[in-house]
Amino acid sequence: MPKQTLERNYMPSILIKFGEKKFMEDLIYNGTIYFNTIEYFRKCEQKERGDSFEGTIELRNYTEEDDYRLTITLPDSGKQFSSGKFNYRKFLSDIRGNMYCLYSLNKQIVSQQSKFEIDQRMKKFGDTMVVITRPIDFLSAIIEQLKAKGIEYTMKPMNYYDHKSFSGKLDLFSKPDTHKHQNEFRIVLFDNSTEALPIQIGNIESYAHLVPASAIDNAEIGIHEVEL
């Protein structure tokens, strides 16, 4: 996977990182970006943070109308059980690499609802959020550090799919639509690592704000025309 520069078509207008206060303070004052392992997210039991489908590269859903049928036969009695609907998943056998995930907002996302609200489930990630109002500056600082370390990466929004009906190829930017409320923007590092990787980009207070996660309860989010 080649190194990439920022693609503006993928660029969110605002990025938000939810987490525990001490880690969010570390992010805003020191610019600490903690890339956890891909394997961690697959095995994590926390409902919002973990995803058992992580690392799935192919998903096939079969129904009663398909030519395939999953059967179980008991040799002693000859009794047979058959399933009219099942799915097949193909995983990466050895997931190496790291990733960093953020909540993202842009015009397309916000305009989908007449009154946009950040899903309350996001508060399960932690009691504090860092609101990043200049995503290009933030992501460019991360890229600079990754390039200095010679680490290959890709960054873009997640693609959400219906895991009960979708059949086809998947990648590390694909996620079941049960997580769609997370509006995730993801940075994946192809560094062949099985350990978490922290990097530091320095203080980001000039374009980021430390706010209690409870602020999403009353936040007004909308699209406003800019007068030139």
Side-chain angles (χ1 to χ4, degrees):
M1 183 69 65
K3 295 177 183 178
Q4 297 184 357
T5 55
L6 291 176
E7 296 186 43
R8 290 181 179 270
N9 290 339
Y10 292 145
M11 194 53 50
S13 301
I14 289 177
L15 287 170
I16 303 175
K17 184 65 177 178
F18 289 85
E20 294 180 34
K21 186 177 181 180
K22 62 180 180 180
F23 297 126
M24 296 303 95
E25 289 177 338
D26 193 20
L27 168 59
I28 200 166
Y29 300 132
N30 302 310
T32 301
I33 312 295
Y34 193 81
F35 287 90
N36 223 321
T37 64
I38 297 171
E39 187 70 9
Y40 163 81
F41 289 102
R42 183 163 79 172
K43 293 183 176 180
C44 181
E45 295 182 358
Q46 183 181 340
K47 185 176 181 180
E48 286 298 311
R49 200 178 301 274
D51 178 13
S52 62
F53 278 75
E54 203 68 74
T56 302
I57 57 175
E58 185 176 357
L59 176 65
R60 298 289 172 185
N61 277 284
Y62 297 100
T63 66
E64 293 179 355
E65 288 75 30
D66 292 315
D67 295 331
Y68 299 90
R69 189 68 59 90
L70 180 65
T71 61
I72 299 175
T73 303
L74 303 181
D76 293 339
S77 63
K79 191 171 184 179
Q80 190 175 79
F81 303 92
S82 177
S83 172
K85 185 175 182 179
F86 68 98
N87 64 48
Y88 158 82
R89 283 190 280 169
K90 185 177 181 180
F91 287 96
L92 290 170
S93 58
D94 184 20
I95 304 179
R96 293 176 179 267
N98 304 74
M99 58 191 189
Y100 189 70
C101 310
L102 302 111
Y103 183 94
S104 65
L105 288 174
N106 57 29
K107 182 178 180 180
Q108 182 180 6
I109 293 171
V110 173
S111 61
Q112 290 175 358
Q113 303 176 21
S114 57
K115 182 182 178 182
F116 186 87
E117 296 180 348
I118 297 175
D119 196 285
Q120 292 290 314
R121 285 171 286 186
M122 295 307 299
K123 291 192 291 186
K124 293 182 179 179
F125 285 94
D127 59 1
T128 305
M129 60 183 181
V130 172
V131 181
I132 300 164
T133 56
R134 299 208 311 258
I136 292 179
D137 290 348
F138 176 71
L139 296 174
S140 295
I142 293 175
I143 289 173
E144 183 178 350
Q145 290 298 314
L146 295 178
K147 285 184 175 180
K149 295 178 181 294
I151 298 175
E152 297 182 349
Y153 64 90
T154 299
M155 55 176 66
K156 60 183 179 179
M158 296 298 291
N159 174 52
Y160 295 97
Y161 62 91
D162 185 345
H163 70 282
K164 294 182 179 180
S165 62
F166 175 83
S167 289
K169 300 292 184 179
L170 298 168
D171 58 23
L172 291 172
F173 293 92
S174 305
K175 205 166 187 177
D177 58 9
T178 50
H179 292 78
K180 190 174 183 179
H181 61 279
Q182 295 177 358
N183 290 331
E184 184 179 333
F185 186 90
R186 175 176 288 188
I187 308 171
V188 176
L189 308 186
F190 301 94
D191 56 351
N192 202 35
S193 174
T194 58
E195 302 291 334
L197 173 68
I199 66 170
Q200 288 190 319
I201 61 173
N203 187 292
I204 62 172
E205 284 181 277
S206 63
Y207 55 79
H209 310 274
L210 196 68
V211 184
S214 59
I216 69 173
D217 297 346
N218 301 308
E220 295 183 7
I221 302 171
I223 305 298
H224 303 281
E225 296 292 335
V226 178
E227 294 183 7
L228 301 178

